Amino acid sequence: MRISVSSDMDEPVARALVAELRERGHEVLAHGALRPAGDARWAVCSEAAARDVVAGRADQAVVCCWTGTGASIAANKVTGVRAALCTDAYTARGARRWNDANVLALGLRLTSEPLLKEILDAWFDSGPSTDADDRENVSHVTDLDRGAGTSTGSG
């Protein structure tokens, strides 16, 4: 599988992420601080990784910044991306299953190497749910991307 990876900082956990993905047999497309002369601004490198997914250059992406929040926000601005900020394996498994997330966002500050491996295990061992309600929710999010969502709330 081709995985696009971005990080705004050349931190040990970012390097461990790239190494772990390669060890698992994935091809890694690097952006930001992980690429020589790459633009390491979190908004720019996260967008680049997300665009790899929607353009078909990558199957999935992992975007990183200090908290993971900015990276997830930037990635989610790309139409067709469902980025999930995951701080544990349970959240990663749920993001793949219930949300059909195609971009994993990680925080560099609190993600240890053992936790990173647990999150990646859960992410790659899970897939989208076939439950009708789950698929309907993902379809609604896709409609929102197209500007076609319908409001049912009282807002």
Side-chain angles (χ1 to χ4, degrees):
M1 187 180 304
R2 266 177 301 173
I3 310 294
S4 188
V5 178
S6 71
S7 181
D8 65 339
M9 302 168 75
D10 185 11
E11 289 288 313
V13 71
R15 290 189 302 274
L17 168 63
V18 170
E20 183 67 24
L21 290 171
R22 286 183 174 143
E23 187 173 306
R24 292 172 184 232
H26 301 295
E27 178 185 344
V28 174
L29 306 173
H31 295 282
L34 301 173
R35 180 183 189 149
D39 190 334
R41 293 176 293 166
W42 58 262
V44 173
C45 63
S46 298
E47 176 194 5
R51 289 201 183 281
D52 281 347
V53 173
V54 296
R57 292 184 296 269
D59 301 297
Q60 295 181 8
V62 183
V63 296
C64 305
C65 68
W66 193 240
T67 65
T69 305
S72 66
I73 291 170
N76 274 315
K77 295 296 182 181
V78 177
T79 301
V81 167
R82 291 176 304 282
L85 175 55
C86 298
T87 57
D88 57 45
Y90 183 82
T91 306
R93 187 173 290 109
R96 289 287 298 131
R97 179 168 175 71
W98 299 310
N99 312 123
D100 193 9
N102 53 7
V103 175
L104 170 63
L106 296 172
L108 297 170
R109 180 176 179 266
L110 297 176
T111 306
S112 66
E113 199 167 329
L115 179 58
L116 171 67
K117 290 179 182 182
E118 290 174 13
I119 291 170
L120 292 176
D121 286 344
W123 184 266
F124 289 114
D125 290 346
S126 301
S129 170
T130 57
D131 178 79
D133 287 341
D134 296 334
R135 299 311 311 155
E136 188 176 319
N137 277 306
V138 172
S139 290
H140 185 77
V141 171
T142 300
D143 289 345
L144 290 171
D145 264 348
R146 294 187 199 120
T150 58
S151 177
T152 59
S154 59

